[in-house]
Structures are given as C-alpha cells and as structure tokens.
Amino acid sequence: IRVFSKGATQMKKNKKKKWLKFRHRIVRNLLSITLGVYVRLKYRVKVQRFKNQEKRPYLILMNHQTAFDQFILGMAFKGPVYYLASEDLFSMGFTSSLIRHLVAPIPIKKQTTDVKAILNCIRVVKEGGTLAIAPEGNRTYSGKTEYMSPSIASLAKKLGIPVALLRIEGGYGVHPRWSDVVRKGKMRAYVSRVISPEECKELSEDELFKVIEEGLYVNEATDDATFKHKKLAEYLERAAYYCPHCGLSTFKSKNDLITCQKCGMQVRYMPNKTLEGVGFDFPFKFYNDWYEAQADFTNSLNLLEYDSEPLYEERGDIYEVIPYKKKNLICKDAKISLYGTKMEIVMGEEKKVFEFSETPYITLLGKNKLDIYSGDTIYQIKSDERFNALKYVHFYHRYKNLLKGDSNGKSSLD
C-alpha cells in the first residue's frame, strides 16, 4: 500500500497541470459584470457581440488602441479568453501573481521569437481555450494601425483554428496613447472577418497576413467625429519631438495647446482631431501627418555624426527588471543622455554606456516607460509625466538600419 501510495503521488506530481481552470470562467463573468459596465460608461464604446462563436476555440486578433482593449474584446466574446501579454506585466511582484492566478495570461518576451510563448499558445488551444493577440504589440501613437509582424500568419496556420479579426474604431479619438484623459466621444468594436481553418490552410502565409492586415487596419486621421475635453493636447509631448521650424526639439502642453520650447511655435488640438497653428498655417492636418513627418526627419539624419555631444539630456529613475518576478529601483534621478549612436546613464558615481550597435533591444512600454536590454540585464527608465521615450526607440532603430546599410529603413516601435 505504501509503495502504491508513493507511486501515485509521484505520478500526480509528474502530471502536467492544465492551463485552463474553472476559476477563469468565474473571474471572466465577474469582470464582465463589473469592468464591462465601467468600460462602456468610460469609453462610450458600442461592442457588437460575436454571435457565431459556438463551443470551439478561436484565435482572436485585434488592433490596439486603448489600455482597455482586452476588456472590450472580452465583451464581444463568450467565455474566458487567454491573452498574450508582455513580460512587463509579469514583473510586478504580488500583483503579477494575482493576475496569473485569476486570468492566466500567456507571457511573451517583446522583440524576440519566444518559442516558449508559442508552445504555451498551442497548449491552451489543445485544452480548448481561446487565444487573443494584438499583432501590433504596441498601442498606436498616431491613430493608424502600427507595424505587425508577419509571423502572426505562421502562428495562425500552425494553430489550425478559426481566426476572428476584432476591429476597434474610435479608440484613438477617445483616449490617445500619449494622453492621460478620456475624451467625450464614441467608439465601436466588432468582428470584421472570420477566417476558417480551411481558408487558413489554403492561403499562403503572405496571403493570410495580407488578409489579417486588411481586416485590422484603422486610420483615424479623419475629421468625421468629435472628441471633447478641456485637455485635448496635454502630454502630446510624449510623442512629439520634431518641430517643422527648428528640427529636433522639446515641447510642453497645456489644455488644448502644445508649444515648441525652442521657437515658441504653438499648435492647437481640435475636437475633430485636426491641428491648427496659432497665428500661422501648420503643415500637418492630423497628428498622424506630424508623426510620419517626424519619422521621415529622423530617418534623414546621419546619426553617426551625432556621437560627441548629446542631443537630449533628461532625468529619470532607473530600475532593474527581474523578468516574471519584480523590478528593483537601483537609482533615483539619474542623468540620461541620448546621442546619435548610444545612450548614457549616470547613476551617482557610476556611468553606463549603451552602444546601440551592441544593444539587442530598446523597447517602449505604456505611455512613456523605456526598457533597455543589455546582456542578461533589463533596465527600465521611468521619468516624469512629460518624458518622451519614443525618440529613444526611433533613434535606436534608425541607427540599426544604418548599420545594416538600409539608409531608407523606417524607425519604428518594433
């Protein structure tokens, strides 16, 4: 009896635990009642329920506009949904442990081909679970759907389940990524297309990717709706660092105005998302136009020439990220310098230099947090509320493109 008991115990230990838990369904129903109502009231979002879901797993792909997109998606589909989430979500100590227990998102390392994440996706589907992924990886800064990795088509073919494309519209107008305020306006979410497993199999990866891109693409550089708030332009400096009059610059915003700190140029952000120069004709009608001109300007620079003097100097707190565990504060109010080819961080008596050529990844999280991957260590920069982390990512990618000989390569978030 003792031998049998030991054997049974060992077998139980060796048996792989299921990813799907009954509690996930309970949590999903509770969140639908509480957060569902909150999101509807806060964002004035009209969610069209997906009526043909049946009792089968789906791969749900969505464009990424607001911080509450995952809850909006949950309002469109029945049952628990298992989301792919960046490792930052899993590095917040007890909070991360609680999230894991309640909804079991699938962790994925940004900027890498995460084989473990792919295997976990396959595992969830085999257990009958529905997956949700935002192929952009990042919320849009400009209102236009950002770059998507073509590898999403490969994953869709590998999983062999229906693919539902959830299109979210109006989210940028209601709550731009760079803003802290939710504007009074309307948004909607609906399944724009379902791709059957048979169609996935018949299409090539390139063809399937094109279908996914078209089904999720949204460009909110339009003036067909209004979004009202007193502080329409506040914190736009988190995303803007280029002035059409004086080139690289810094900005400061208040209410519906943003001002260049070099030349004094002022631009007003209007309720219909258009931009108006104060006392002059601003060359960009929408922020997306400004955003693209900013990228073009950055991509026109030969960053190799900007190696001796910093282009920007700022202050911020530096953390070391322990992936899937926690973040440790290692220096408050460090000095951060951005050059054309590198970043420098001075922490008291210590100076760390991150040569772009030797840095595997620099990524942007949330509104304006910056992660720097250096060897086996991940450093995170959190600065003040007006900190522009976007320019660091753009400069990093521009320099990487120059090293590859791609002088016309675009800077991006990915």
Side-chain angles (χ1 to χ4, degrees):
I1 294 173
R2 189 179 299 169
V3 172
F4 177 80
S5 177
K6 280 185 177 181
T9 303
Q10 190 62 40
M11 285 177 66
K12 195 172 182 180
K13 282 182 179 179
N14 292 338
K15 189 177 180 181
K16 200 170 190 178
K17 291 182 180 179
K18 283 193 172 185
W19 195 285
L20 276 62
K21 306 287 186 184
F22 180 70
R23 65 172 176 268
H24 300 159
R25 186 173 296 276
I26 296 173
V27 171
R28 184 265 172 210
N29 292 338
L30 289 173
L31 289 177
S32 180
I33 295 169
T34 55
L35 273 175
V37 173
Y38 172 77
V39 172
R40 278 192 174 92
L41 292 173
K42 184 180 179 71
Y43 285 94
R44 293 178 175 83
V45 58
K46 182 178 180 180
V47 181
Q48 184 175 318
R49 296 279 296 182
F50 181 49
K51 296 179 181 179
N52 302 318
Q53 188 171 348
E54 302 175 348
K55 292 184 178 180
R56 63 184 304 180
Y58 277 78
L59 170 62
I60 307 169
L61 304 179
M62 63 177 176
N63 59 310
H64 202 2
Q65 292 195 330
T66 78
F68 281 82
D69 286 349
Q70 66 272 30
F71 299 109
I72 292 170
L73 183 150
M75 291 155 62
F77 291 84
K78 294 181 292 185
V81 177
Y82 297 87
Y83 299 87
L84 239 66
S86 71
E87 59 191 0
D88 193 61
L89 182 68
F90 299 88
S91 305
M92 300 185 296
F94 174 76
T95 302
S96 296
S97 299
L98 185 63
I99 292 171
R100 277 179 182 270
H101 180 76
L102 294 177
V103 294
I106 301 169
I108 185 170
K109 293 179 180 178
K110 276 196 174 189
Q111 307 292 339
T112 64
T113 302
D114 194 335
V115 176
K116 187 176 180 181
I118 294 171
L119 292 175
N120 282 332
C121 287
I122 295 171
R123 176 181 166 189
V124 168
V125 168
K126 282 184 176 179
E127 292 181 18
T130 287
L131 292 172
I133 302 174
E136 293 166 272
N138 283 282
R139 286 172 61 190
T140 175
Y141 263 106
S142 66
K144 185 170 72 174
T145 303
E146 296 280 1
Y147 167 86
M148 300 180 192
S149 172
S151 63
I152 192 65
S154 174
L155 177 63
K157 290 176 77 70
K158 190 184 295 289
L159 293 176
I161 56 177
V163 179
L165 305 181
L166 183 78
R167 193 203 309 262
I168 301 172
E169 300 173 349
Y172 174 79
V174 170
H175 194 185
R177 180 177 181 178
W178 43 263
S179 175
D180 281 353
V181 299
V182 176
R183 295 99 196 283
K184 187 177 180 181
K186 293 180 180 179
M187 58 183 292
R188 65 187 290 235
Y190 61 98
V191 174
S192 64
R193 178 164 181 178
V194 176
I195 311 167
S196 69
E198 294 75 23
E199 188 178 0
C200 280
K201 192 174 181 180
E202 290 173 3
L203 295 171
S204 69
E205 285 189 13
D206 287 344
E207 290 170 334
L208 178 57
F209 181 63
K210 187 175 181 182
V211 171
I212 292 169
E213 275 192 312
E214 290 175 350
L216 296 181
Y217 181 79
V218 173
N219 186 353
E220 293 201 25
T222 59
D223 57 0
D224 56 353
T226 57
F227 303 89
K228 297 178 181 179
H229 199 282
K230 179 183 176 182
K231 300 179 179 181
L232 288 174
E234 280 210 2
Y235 301 126
L236 183 51
E237 61 265 46
R238 291 170 175 167
Y241 59 85
Y242 161 69
C243 172
H245 294 161
C246 49
L248 295 177
S249 186
T250 56
F251 293 83
K252 191 169 183 180
S253 62
K254 185 176 181 181
N255 295 332
D256 63 349
L257 287 176
I258 183 167
T259 305
C260 174
Q261 298 299 284
K262 276 190 179 179
C263 68
M265 176 195 77
Q266 286 193 314
V267 179
R268 178 168 279 113
Y269 193 104
M270 306 298 290
N272 62 356
K273 297 174 291 181
T274 58
L275 302 173
E276 288 187 1
V278 178
F280 75 105
D281 291 329
F282 191 56
F284 312 120
K285 185 176 181 181
F286 299 98
Y287 177 64
N288 179 64
D289 304 326
W290 190 358
Y291 182 86
E292 292 186 350
Q294 176 173 268
D296 289 341
F297 180 81
T298 301
N299 292 329
S300 71
L301 298 174
N302 181 1
L303 297 183
L304 300 173
E305 297 176 354
Y306 300 92
D307 194 41
S308 57
E309 296 293 329
L311 296 166
Y312 290 92
E313 290 184 323
E314 301 171 277
R315 314 290 300 194
D317 299 338
I318 313 299
Y319 294 79
E320 181 182 351
V321 180
I322 312 298
Y324 311 120
K325 291 184 180 180
K326 59 182 180 179
K327 302 171 190 175
N328 294 326
L329 177 65
I330 56 177
C331 183
K332 285 190 70 68
D333 198 36
K335 181 182 176 183
I336 307 155
S337 300
L338 173 63
Y339 295 78
T341 62
K342 62 188 177 185
M343 285 178 60
E344 288 183 358
I345 300 178
V346 177
M347 300 179 285
E349 300 297 319
E350 182 184 6
K351 180 169 77 172
K352 288 191 175 293
V353 179
F354 302 95
E355 299 282 353
F356 291 161
S357 59
E358 299 171 5
T359 303
Y361 308 106
I362 294 181
T363 64
L364 199 158
L365 300 159
K367 295 181 174 72
N368 61 347
K369 291 185 294 186
L370 197 68
D371 273 10
I372 306 168
Y373 291 70
S374 177
D376 296 328
T377 306
I378 304 172
Y379 297 95
Q380 186 169 102
I381 299 174
K382 291 183 182 179
S383 187
D384 64 40
E385 57 193 6
R386 300 184 184 275
F387 176 60
N388 184 311
L390 183 65
K391 61 182 179 289
Y392 291 84
V393 179
H394 281 181
F395 276 55
Y396 169 78
H397 282 288
R398 169 59 178 166
Y399 182 76
K400 285 289 194 181
N401 286 333
L402 286 174
L403 286 185
K404 291 186 294 185
D406 185 5
S407 59
N408 296 315
K410 288 189 175 182
S411 55
S412 70
L413 297 182
D414 301 274

